[in-house]
Amino acid sequence: MLRKAISLFLLTADQLFGPITTLRHDGRIIKHIPWSAFNLSEYDWARVLDAREILRNSNDVLHYFSSDKRPSLWRALPAIEDLQTAWEDKLSDPTYSIYHPAIADGLEKLKKYYSKFDEKPAFILVVLVHPYYKLQYIKMVWGGPEEQRKEQEEGNLDVKDWQLEARAVVHNAVGFPSSRL
């Protein structure tokens, strides 16, 4: 659909609008650049489709947050994790090797913002109070004491027991005894 529309536009644009630009030097016209100069080759169209697929992941995440009628803050952590997983998959897929530097940059930016969630207890609270997720989500995705111990043995001394961390957030936020979670 997109290919057909762009190809049709490029076929007719020179007749309808004239050249897209004109190159001048010392006030004299050197060359007219026609719209048809921007026809895309098969290789170019393959790159357009690849880029569309990469951007589709972030577009999907954007729609997680576009509810005007329902709260959506609880979706923040799962959405960022979904995007991170999708881009990590593409980073290891040779099909996207030409885009690996850009995908790696995107993942680095996600990591920057994801780490900010550690400083905002509200994100943990909304996952905990959501009737579907509660503490099970944190246990399943982020781990608990067992995962903390394994990572410490592997040399990551900054790892947290996220179940304990979530309980502390609840206790500090609402005074709810963490033993009841």
Side-chain angles (χ1 to χ4, degrees):
M1 183 78 159
L2 176 67
R3 183 176 186 165
K4 198 175 198 178
I6 290 175
S7 296
L8 181 61
F9 173 79
L10 290 174
L11 267 172
T12 59
D14 288 326
Q15 291 173 346
L16 292 171
F17 306 111
I20 188 170
T21 193
T22 301
L23 300 178
R24 299 175 192 274
H25 181 69
D26 293 332
R28 292 186 327 210
I29 295 175
I30 296 176
K31 184 174 185 175
H32 293 289
I33 308 292
W35 287 91
S36 57
F38 297 95
N39 279 323
L40 299 174
S41 68
E42 288 299 318
Y43 177 83
D44 296 331
W45 279 111
R47 303 294 70 79
V48 168
L49 296 177
D50 289 346
R52 183 181 69 179
E53 186 58 34
I54 293 166
L55 294 173
R56 181 187 327 235
N57 301 130
S58 55
N59 187 53
D60 291 347
V61 167
L62 174 69
H63 289 287
Y64 288 169
F65 301 106
S66 58
S67 174
D68 289 336
K69 298 184 177 142
R70 290 184 233 150
S72 60
L73 185 60
W74 65 270
R75 295 178 174 185
L77 290 168
I80 297 299
E81 290 164 351
D82 286 351
L83 181 57
Q84 181 178 349
T85 299
W87 282 357
E88 285 170 346
D89 290 346
K90 285 179 175 55
L91 195 59
S92 63
D93 185 341
T95 304
Y96 298 99
S97 62
I98 191 172
Y99 310 102
H100 284 177
I103 294 169
D105 288 347
L107 283 167
E108 197 58 37
K109 186 63 82 173
L110 275 179
K111 181 179 174 186
K112 174 185 171 185
Y113 288 106
Y114 189 81
S115 70
K116 301 270 185 204
F117 288 139
D118 292 354
E119 303 162 14
K120 308 292 182 203
F123 290 102
I124 294 172
L125 285 171
V126 296
V127 169
L128 281 173
V129 299
H130 190 279
Y132 177 76
Y133 289 113
K134 299 197 177 196
L135 195 57
Q136 287 306 106
Y137 177 82
I138 291 170
K139 180 180 181 181
M140 179 183 70
V141 176
W142 301 340
E146 190 64 28
E147 289 77 10
Q148 180 187 30
R149 184 187 57 74
K150 286 178 186 173
E151 284 199 42
Q152 286 172 335
E153 288 172 0
E154 293 172 3
N156 182 359
L157 302 179
D158 296 323
V159 68
K160 293 181 180 182
D161 173 347
W162 281 104
Q163 286 181 301
L164 186 62
E165 187 77 16
R167 286 186 169 106
V169 165
V170 171
H171 179 72
N172 291 336
V174 294
F176 190 74
S178 58
S179 61
R180 291 188 53 202
L181 291 176

